[in-house]
């Protein structure tokens, strides 16, 4: 075995040799993938009944850089029963937003014992049903929809979903005074 100072000298001379720098330059210019980027399709997930399931879906959508659209519902909500199939059909079959990279859609069941009110409080869910998009793992509180009439309007929902898909790589909008904690708590909007 060679003394440490000789091993260091050999290692440093190999790193700075012309042959090593030629190899380094040759491989640093190569790309990892030769196929074109894959377009993601819209995806409708099974309803979420626990915070860990929601967290997993948020991590998945963040890694794909696609927004996750959540519909916060409850079993006793009659409006939710009419909105659920309408939104799932709109996202799944109309191929909305796929040109922008697609969106994920999931229903969050608020009356599930594993979700409870903690998740609702965390994301400022004050009424049922509520549509809330997540972009890069952050709640987009500035575009949250609580109006049932807006959720039933097909054209309004098309535009909203397209807009969320377009913003897919941006942060959620949970910052600022009017759109952050105080804005969600007191219903403040930017002018």
């Amino acid at each position: 075995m060679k003394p440490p100072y000789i091993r260091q000298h050999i290692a440093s001379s190999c790193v700075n040799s012309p042959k090593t720098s030629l190899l380094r330059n040759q491989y640093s210019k190569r790309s990892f993938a030769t196929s074109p980027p894959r377009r993601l399709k819209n995806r409708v997930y099974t309803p979420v009944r626990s915070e860990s399931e929601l967290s997993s879906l948020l991590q998945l959508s963040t890694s794909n850089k696609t927004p996750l659209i959540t519909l916060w519902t409850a079993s006793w909500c009659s409006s939710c029963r009419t909105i659920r199939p309408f939104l799932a059909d709109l996202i799944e079959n109309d191929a909305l937003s796929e040109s922008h990279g697609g969106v994920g859609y999931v229903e969050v069941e608020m009356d599930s014992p594993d979700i409870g009110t903690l998740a609702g409080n965390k994301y400022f869910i004050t009424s049922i049903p509520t549509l809330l998009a997540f972009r890069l793992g952050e709640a987009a509180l500035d575009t949250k929809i609580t109006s049932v009439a807006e959720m039933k309007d097909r054209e309004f929902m098309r535009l909203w979903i397209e807009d969320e898909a377009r913003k897919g790589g941006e942060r959620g909008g949970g910052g600022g005074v009017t759109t952050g904690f105080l804005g969600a708590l007191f219903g403040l909007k930017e002018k």
Side-chain angles (χ1 to χ4, degrees), residues 46 91 102 124 167 174 179 191:
T46 58
I91 290 172
F124 304 107
K167 295 177 184 176
T179 57
K191 293 179 182 177

Side-chain angles (χ1 to χ4, degrees), residues 54-72:
L54 180 61
S55 177
S56 296
L57 288 177
L58 286 172
Q59 289 174 357
L60 181 65
S61 71
T62 300
S63 68
N64 290 336
K65 293 188 176 159
T66 58
L68 179 66
I69 296 174
T70 58
L71 176 64
W72 296 74

